[in-house]
Every structure is written in C-alpha cells, then in structure tokens.
Amino acid sequence: MANPARRVGLYLLGTAAVILAYALLYQFGMARLEGVEMRFIEALHVVVETFTTVGYGEQAGQWDTTPMLALSIAMQFTGVALIFLTLPAFVLPLFAEALSSGPSRTFDGEGHIVICSFSPTVDTLITELSARGQPYVVVESDLDAVESLRADGVEVVHGDPEEVETLEAVSIAAASAVVVADDDETNASVILAAQHVAPETRVLSLVEDESHADYHRYAGADEVIHPRDVLGESLAGKASAALSSELSGAVEIADEFEVGELLVQRGSPLDGSTIGDCGIQELPGANIIGAWFRGEFVSAPDPGRTIDEHTVLLVAGPEDGVETMKQRSIAEGRSARSGITIAGYGVVGSAVAEAITAAGVPATIVDVEDKPGVDIVGDVTDPATLEDAGIESAEALVLALADDTTALFAALVAKQVAPETNVIARANEADSPPKLYRAGAEYVLSLPTVSGRMLASKLLDEEVITPETQVEVVRREAPALVGHSLADADVRARTGCTVIAIERDGRTITSIDAGMRIEEGDTLVVAGDDDAVDAFAELAT
C-alpha cells in the first residue's frame, strides 16, 4: 500500500488531470455548440467554480444546447464526488491523527524491561538502562506525568499497570523483566496482573516495608528488593566509620585490593592538605579516584584541590594503602567523643540502629513519636531536643527522616548546636543531596539512587559492585579500546572514569600502569559517577 504522502500526491495529480480535461472539453463545447470563443483560462475558471461550488456567474446564461447542460451536470457530480473522496481519504485521517497524537497506549518490543510506574527511583534506573542501550518502557497512569516524561524523551505509555489489558499492550510476554516500583499494595496488584499475563517473565519488586516482602513473593515476584534496609546499613557504616579507626565499608575488587570511601575529619592530617600532597603517591598501587567536595563529586580531582572536613575521598588500592589513608583521615584527640545519635525511627532509622548496635556502638534514638526503642521524644529541629540527646558529645548525627525539608533544617540546627559532630543524612528526593551538603552534612545518601542502582545491578549483565554508594564501580569489556595502551586510551581524561583493575584470563590485575595494553577479552574495572560511567560505556563500544 502506498504511504500517505504518495497517496496525497497521486490524488492531487489525478484531480488536476480531471480539471484540465473538463476545461478543454468545456472550451471545445462552447466554441462548437454555443458559438462562443473563449480562452483556456476562462474555461478553467468555470470548471474550478463548478468543482468548488462557488457558482457560474454569467456563464449559465450562455448554455442553450443539451450537451453543454449535460457537461455542466457532469462537472457538478464530479466536483461533489471529489469532495466526498477528500473527506474520508485525507481530511478525516488528519483529524483522527490530531486526536490520537496523545500519549501512546501500546509498546511493541522484545527483550525490553517493563517498569511500573515512574518515580525518582525509576528515574535513576532508566538513566542506567539508557546508558547501556537496554530497551525499556514505563507504564504510568498519571496523564500529566506521562506528558512530562514524553517531553524528556522517556519511553512511556499511558495506562494502569494493575490492568491486564495494559500489560498486554506493552508486550509483557516478550519482555525480559518487569519492575514494579509503586507503593507496596499497588505493587502486589501489579505482580498478580503480570503473573496472569506472562507467568514466565521475571518480576522484580521494590518493597518499602520489609514485612510486606512475603506477600510480594506469594503474589509471584521473583525478587523482592528492600532498598531502605540497604540505605540504613550504609548510613550506619558511614556513621560508625567516623567513630572507628578501623576501615569499614570498603568494597573488595580482588584479593587485598579494594575501594573505600573516607570521611575526612576536622583536624586530621588530611585536613588542609591537597590531593597532590596528601601522601597517596607514597603508597604503591593506591590512588584517589574521586572525591566529594561539599557535595560535588569530582572524578580524578586536580592535584591542587584542597581537602577539608567536608571532603569525602574515594580511594582504591591495596588493603594496607587504603587503611593508611583511613588513619590519615582521622583527627587525633577525638576519642573522647562517642556514640551515634539517630534522628527518625522508621524503616531506615531502625536499620541504622540495628547495624550500629550490632557493631557495639552506643546509639541514642530521637523521634517525634513515643514508641519502643525511642530514647528521646521530640522535634529534631528543636535545639533543646538535640541537646537532650547528647549530640554535643556524639561522633555523628544520622538524619534518617522521611521528609527532606525537615532534614535540611535539622542539619542547620545540628551544626549550630554541635559543629564538631558529623552529620550523615538520608535524602528522599533526587535534588536534595546538594542542599543537604550546603546545610552542613558530611555525607548524604539518596534513597532513589540506592533503589535505582540496586535494580540496575539486578537487571544488567554487567556488575555494579556498589549500588548503595554515589559512585559506581563497574566491570565492562571495551572492544573499542583493544590494542591501545591505557595512556593512549586516556580513559580518565576522556570520560572522568578511572581504570582501577583489568580482569584477564581469570585473574584480576591491579598493578596497572600507563603502558599496559588492553587485550581482546579483557574486562576493565572502572570507577566514576553516573556521567563518567555513561561516557565510558560510549567510549568502550
């Protein structure tokens, strides 16, 4: 079948031919039958008047013969016929297209990931999927949200993910996986619908309340993810790391080679030094692959950049080298400070408290509600509440609050009441971490980032080693770089990622230098923020 543009062209060409034929016939008839000579343009004018139903003016009075009257009748019928052909063939489809130009309700694909519904967590997830070329479609019931997502270039359809018809319309049976990321009750309903439509398709579910996990599994979820527990454990790890001189929370890349985040304490040997003179060069194989400066992550920071108490260093290297840098990040004379204050005793706060007490660190819990486990009942934004909780002698305050605005104000108050106490905060919205850093927090962990990366690490073939941190350490083959040395590839300058190891023939090479060449089958272990990892993915393929 001809495409629409070709059909329009053929229609217009045919109409022009009919009009020209009638104009010639009219000119001939008027000359031979009525004895009236006229120019072709005058005959064409009469035909167009007839076809457009405008009228004939003075011409009608000149028709005396039957053939000319018959010709007039034929032109009128032809004109009306062309009009009726135009309406269904072209005008009505244009109206239908205009009316149907709203959000799509179907998605035809294979091997894609169906995501129900959109949220900040899903925003992180689709960023990861897009960077790796993984097809996906978001099913969203809110029309305004759909329009906004379409404007941002997100692959989205409008529909209720709890309805079987909606899931069928997005080719769920041909999908590689389904992600349900709404509230716990809605997720259970979506899981049941997905099982009805495509029982063989893998289903991953996010759960807010861990007690609901069994219901999701019973509904048919293949994997249930608890990001709030991971978030709580990670916050606890950062809080206890600030208190302890021992390295904790480091990620092991290979035997005796790891990546660790170090919170620099005020008055420590690193405080006031620069990246270039902090002593990292004295530690064989150790490298600062990134750092947060007041909430801004810098991959491969400049040697002249100054380190202060608001800096978090990302150090890779042999275990003893990372441990040495840990010792340098701790201030002398801070042993008198002890214990952790936890603000907020919900799911995240409970996970923080459990992890901290399990490590043998004393914890004081503050919440606005009087419930079992809470030590101080009060508003954490009230200086008196923080003083009652002993924040001035605590090593760290963990803000595990459900509301980011409250957390921001609490961080400001805490820095006024106890400026020496580290503030470690949970963020619930994607745009909150920078504001929390400006409010004085030493470390901020975003729930959407944790959730999205946990999902990505489950869905993607390449391993994301640290989904709970703000930096990704990923393993990826780099066919486009095969044959190049690390110096020639210049990955760090071109992408912001740092190559920290190479996996070759079943072993992990951590002692790498600029002259090492990338060979066929090598897997590069790289570290960097989201943009850097995305840039590396583009460079490597």
mmCIF file of all heavy atoms in Angstrom, residues 250-271:
data_model
loop_
_atom_site.group_PDB
_atom_site.id
_atom_site.type_symbol
_atom_site.label_atom_id
_atom_site.label_comp_id
_atom_site.label_asym_id
_atom_site.label_seq_id
_atom_site.Cartn_x
_atom_site.Cartn_y
_atom_site.Cartn_z
ATOM 1 N N ALA A 250 34.543 -0.914 52.967
ATOM 2 C CA ALA A 250 35.317 -0.949 51.729
ATOM 3 C C ALA A 250 34.810 -2.078 50.833
ATOM 4 O O ALA A 250 34.359 -3.115 51.307
ATOM 5 C CB ALA A 250 36.798 -1.137 52.029
ATOM 6 N N VAL A 251 34.908 -1.863 49.522
ATOM 7 C CA VAL A 251 34.474 -2.857 48.546
ATOM 8 C C VAL A 251 35.694 -3.578 47.996
ATOM 9 O O VAL A 251 36.604 -2.948 47.451
ATOM 10 C CB VAL A 251 33.693 -2.193 47.397
ATOM 11 C CG1 VAL A 251 33.303 -3.229 46.362
ATOM 12 C CG2 VAL A 251 32.473 -1.482 47.942
ATOM 13 N N GLU A 252 35.721 -4.880 48.148
ATOM 14 C CA GLU A 252 36.863 -5.659 47.675
ATOM 15 C C GLU A 252 36.716 -5.944 46.189
ATOM 16 O O GLU A 252 35.727 -6.514 45.744
ATOM 17 C CB GLU A 252 36.970 -6.970 48.454
ATOM 18 C CG GLU A 252 38.222 -7.752 48.118
ATOM 19 C CD GLU A 252 38.410 -8.962 49.018
ATOM 20 O OE1 GLU A 252 37.958 -8.918 50.180
ATOM 21 O OE2 GLU A 252 38.996 -9.948 48.541
ATOM 22 N N ILE A 253 37.698 -5.513 45.416
ATOM 23 C CA ILE A 253 37.703 -5.734 43.973
ATOM 24 C C ILE A 253 38.410 -7.047 43.645
ATOM 25 O O ILE A 253 38.013 -7.799 42.775
ATOM 26 C CB ILE A 253 38.406 -4.570 43.243
ATOM 27 C CG1 ILE A 253 37.747 -3.240 43.629
ATOM 28 C CG2 ILE A 253 38.358 -4.769 41.734
ATOM 29 C CD1 ILE A 253 36.282 -3.150 43.295
ATOM 30 N N ALA A 254 39.472 -7.303 44.353
ATOM 31 C CA ALA A 254 40.246 -8.536 44.201
ATOM 32 C C ALA A 254 40.925 -8.790 45.538
ATOM 33 O O ALA A 254 40.770 -8.014 46.484
ATOM 34 C CB ALA A 254 41.269 -8.388 43.080
ATOM 35 N N ASP A 255 41.665 -9.877 45.630
ATOM 36 C CA ASP A 255 42.366 -10.185 46.876
ATOM 37 C C ASP A 255 43.281 -9.027 47.250
ATOM 38 O O ASP A 255 44.167 -8.624 46.476
ATOM 39 C CB ASP A 255 43.192 -11.465 46.728
ATOM 40 C CG ASP A 255 42.303 -12.700 46.612
ATOM 41 O OD1 ASP A 255 41.121 -12.601 46.991
ATOM 42 O OD2 ASP A 255 42.795 -13.743 46.128
ATOM 43 N N GLU A 256 43.044 -8.492 48.440
ATOM 44 C CA GLU A 256 43.857 -7.417 49.004
ATOM 45 C C GLU A 256 43.850 -6.156 48.142
ATOM 46 O O GLU A 256 44.782 -5.356 48.180
ATOM 47 C CB GLU A 256 45.299 -7.887 49.236
ATOM 48 C CG GLU A 256 45.389 -9.053 50.218
ATOM 49 C CD GLU A 256 46.822 -9.440 50.522
ATOM 50 O OE1 GLU A 256 47.733 -8.853 49.903
ATOM 51 O OE2 GLU A 256 47.024 -10.318 51.375
ATOM 52 N N PHE A 257 42.797 -5.977 47.337
ATOM 53 C CA PHE A 257 42.646 -4.735 46.567
ATOM 54 C C PHE A 257 41.205 -4.274 46.708
ATOM 55 O O PHE A 257 40.284 -5.037 46.430
ATOM 56 C CB PHE A 257 42.982 -4.961 45.094
ATOM 57 C CG PHE A 257 43.028 -3.680 44.291
ATOM 58 C CD1 PHE A 257 44.183 -2.935 44.219
ATOM 59 C CD2 PHE A 257 41.896 -3.223 43.628
ATOM 60 C CE1 PHE A 257 44.229 -1.759 43.487
ATOM 61 C CE2 PHE A 257 41.927 -2.049 42.894
ATOM 62 C CZ PHE A 257 43.103 -1.316 42.821
ATOM 63 N N GLU A 258 41.009 -3.036 47.147
ATOM 64 C CA GLU A 258 39.650 -2.582 47.459
ATOM 65 C C GLU A 258 39.468 -1.097 47.190
ATOM 66 O O GLU A 258 40.428 -0.366 46.918
ATOM 67 C CB GLU A 258 39.344 -2.895 48.923
ATOM 68 C CG GLU A 258 40.328 -2.318 49.905
ATOM 69 C CD GLU A 258 40.189 -2.913 51.306
ATOM 70 O OE1 GLU A 258 39.619 -4.021 51.430
ATOM 71 O OE2 GLU A 258 40.623 -2.265 52.250
ATOM 72 N N VAL A 259 38.226 -0.701 47.253
ATOM 73 C CA VAL A 259 37.843 0.704 47.108
ATOM 74 C C VAL A 259 37.110 1.115 48.371
ATOM 75 O O VAL A 259 36.192 0.415 48.812
ATOM 76 C CB VAL A 259 36.940 0.915 45.875
ATOM 77 C CG1 VAL A 259 36.481 2.360 45.792
ATOM 78 C CG2 VAL A 259 37.659 0.512 44.607
ATOM 79 N N GLY A 260 37.519 2.230 48.955
ATOM 80 C CA GLY A 260 36.878 2.682 50.186
ATOM 81 C C GLY A 260 36.586 4.170 50.154
ATOM 82 O O GLY A 260 37.309 4.959 49.523
ATOM 83 N N GLU A 261 35.501 4.559 50.826
ATOM 84 C CA GLU A 261 35.148 5.967 50.998
ATOM 85 C C GLU A 261 35.638 6.419 52.372
ATOM 86 O O GLU A 261 35.348 5.779 53.378
ATOM 87 C CB GLU A 261 33.634 6.169 50.904
ATOM 88 C CG GLU A 261 33.094 6.048 49.500
ATOM 89 C CD GLU A 261 31.585 6.276 49.457
ATOM 90 O OE1 GLU A 261 30.885 5.809 50.378
ATOM 91 O OE2 GLU A 261 31.125 6.920 48.518
ATOM 92 N N LEU A 262 36.345 7.536 52.408
ATOM 93 C CA LEU A 262 36.913 8.033 53.649
ATOM 94 C C LEU A 262 36.361 9.423 53.960
ATOM 95 O O LEU A 262 36.511 10.346 53.151
ATOM 96 C CB LEU A 262 38.442 8.103 53.556
ATOM 97 C CG LEU A 262 39.160 6.836 53.067
ATOM 98 C CD1 LEU A 262 40.665 7.075 53.051
ATOM 99 C CD2 LEU A 262 38.813 5.641 53.942
ATOM 100 N N LEU A 263 35.702 9.579 55.097
ATOM 101 C CA LEU A 263 35.215 10.872 55.540
ATOM 102 C C LEU A 263 36.343 11.572 56.286
ATOM 103 O O LEU A 263 36.824 11.089 57.318
ATOM 104 C CB LEU A 263 34.010 10.719 56.475
ATOM 105 C CG LEU A 263 32.655 10.392 55.847
ATOM 106 C CD1 LEU A 263 32.637 8.997 55.269
ATOM 107 C CD2 LEU A 263 31.539 10.542 56.886
ATOM 108 N N VAL A 264 36.772 12.687 55.763
ATOM 109 C CA VAL A 264 37.891 13.414 56.365
ATOM 110 C C VAL A 264 37.395 14.198 57.575
ATOM 111 O O VAL A 264 36.461 14.999 57.474
ATOM 112 C CB VAL A 264 38.540 14.362 55.340
ATOM 113 C CG1 VAL A 264 39.664 15.165 55.985
ATOM 114 C CG2 VAL A 264 39.054 13.563 54.140
ATOM 115 N N GLN A 265 38.023 13.975 58.714
ATOM 116 C CA GLN A 265 37.630 14.658 59.947
ATOM 117 C C GLN A 265 38.385 15.978 60.092
ATOM 118 O O GLN A 265 39.529 16.115 59.647
ATOM 119 C CB GLN A 265 37.897 13.762 61.161
ATOM 120 C CG GLN A 265 37.064 12.501 61.190
ATOM 121 C CD GLN A 265 37.350 11.644 62.391
ATOM 122 O OE1 GLN A 265 38.253 11.933 63.179
ATOM 123 N NE2 GLN A 265 36.588 10.573 62.547
ATOM 124 N N ARG A 266 37.727 16.907 60.738
ATOM 125 C CA ARG A 266 38.376 18.184 61.036
ATOM 126 C C ARG A 266 39.577 17.949 61.951
ATOM 127 O O ARG A 266 39.485 17.251 62.948
ATOM 128 C CB ARG A 266 37.380 19.132 61.712
ATOM 129 C CG ARG A 266 37.980 20.495 62.050
ATOM 130 C CD ARG A 266 36.968 21.371 62.748
ATOM 131 N NE ARG A 266 35.806 21.625 61.898
ATOM 132 C CZ ARG A 266 34.771 22.383 62.271
ATOM 133 N NH1 ARG A 266 34.722 22.908 63.484
ATOM 134 N NH2 ARG A 266 33.762 22.564 61.444
ATOM 135 N N GLY A 267 40.710 18.555 61.609
ATOM 136 C CA GLY A 267 41.909 18.407 62.418
ATOM 137 C C GLY A 267 42.723 17.168 62.104
ATOM 138 O O GLY A 267 43.750 16.915 62.741
ATOM 139 N N SER A 268 42.299 16.383 61.121
ATOM 140 C CA SER A 268 43.055 15.188 60.750
ATOM 141 C C SER A 268 44.248 15.589 59.893
ATOM 142 O O SER A 268 44.318 16.704 59.370
ATOM 143 C CB SER A 268 42.155 14.219 59.970
ATOM 144 O OG SER A 268 41.853 14.766 58.694
ATOM 145 N N PRO A 269 45.232 14.685 59.724
ATOM 146 C CA PRO A 269 46.383 15.005 58.870
ATOM 147 C C PRO A 269 46.003 15.389 57.442
ATOM 148 O O PRO A 269 46.736 16.126 56.786
ATOM 149 C CB PRO A 269 47.201 13.706 58.900
ATOM 150 C CG PRO A 269 46.867 13.081 60.211
ATOM 151 C CD PRO A 269 45.408 13.397 60.432
ATOM 152 N N LEU A 270 44.870 14.882 56.942
ATOM 153 C CA LEU A 270 44.451 15.216 55.578
ATOM 154 C C LEU A 270 43.781 16.581 55.493
ATOM 155 O O LEU A 270 43.754 17.197 54.428
ATOM 156 C CB LEU A 270 43.491 14.145 55.035
ATOM 157 C CG LEU A 270 44.082 12.753 54.766
ATOM 158 C CD1 LEU A 270 42.992 11.823 54.220
ATOM 159 C CD2 LEU A 270 45.242 12.821 53.800
ATOM 160 N N ASP A 271 43.230 17.048 56.593
ATOM 161 C CA ASP A 271 42.507 18.322 56.607
ATOM 162 C C ASP A 271 43.468 19.467 56.288
ATOM 163 O O ASP A 271 44.456 19.688 56.990
ATOM 164 C CB ASP A 271 41.864 18.532 57.975
ATOM 165 C CG ASP A 271 40.999 19.787 58.032
ATOM 166 O OD1 ASP A 271 40.658 20.330 56.956
ATOM 167 O OD2 ASP A 271 40.656 20.221 59.149
#
